Amino acid sequence: MVQFIVILANVISNAITLFSFMLIAYILMSWVPSMREGKFGQLLGKIVEPYLSFFRQFIPPLGMIDISPIVAIFALRFIDRGVATVFNMIIQAIY
């Protein structure tokens, strides 16, 4: 049972980390707009844009600078830490 919980926690943590890297790649692609127009950029946009649009509702761009992706990355890190804490509490409760 504990091994399953540890594996599940690792899978979720790795998925969050992968999504964070995808988000960073998409942000860096904004510096070269033609990269977002390619197939990889469009695929990445379909995956990342729904998450970013949530933060863009609350944080408008400051001129030409959009800080919502930074807040989105911080939110992912907090979610990752929260998931790790919850799984650690579950494991401690089992023992």
Side-chain angles (χ1 to χ4, degrees), residues 43-69:
L43 175 67
L44 206 55
K46 287 179 183 177
I47 295 170
V48 171
E49 273 299 327
Y51 180 70
L52 285 176
S53 66
F54 173 76
F55 291 96
R56 287 184 179 138
Q57 291 175 358
F58 303 107
I59 306 167
L62 303 171
M64 296 284 297
I65 300 172
D66 186 12
I67 61 169
S68 60

Side-chain angles (χ1 to χ4, degrees), residues 1-87:
M1 179 69 172
V2 173
Q3 290 177 344
F4 173 73
I5 293 172
V6 169
I7 291 171
L8 183 62
N10 286 335
V11 168
I12 292 172
S13 179
N14 289 338
I16 291 172
T17 301
L18 176 64
F19 191 77
S20 296
F21 285 132
M22 292 168 59
L23 188 60
I24 291 168
Y26 188 71
I27 293 166
L28 293 175
M29 290 173 96
S30 70
W31 294 350
V32 183
S34 63
M35 290 181 72
R36 281 193 178 176
E37 295 171 3
K39 289 184 180 184
F40 179 71
Q42 290 177 355
L43 175 67
L44 206 55
K46 287 179 183 177
I47 295 170
V48 171
E49 273 299 327
Y51 180 70
L52 285 176
S53 66
F54 173 76
F55 291 96
R56 287 184 179 138
Q57 291 175 358
F58 303 107
I59 306 167
L62 303 171
M64 296 284 297
I65 300 172
D66 186 12
I67 61 169
S68 60
I70 297 169
V71 176
I73 291 172
F74 280 127
L76 277 178
R77 298 290 22 140
F78 283 128
I79 291 168
D80 190 28
R81 292 289 182 179
V83 167
T85 302
V86 167
F87 278 108

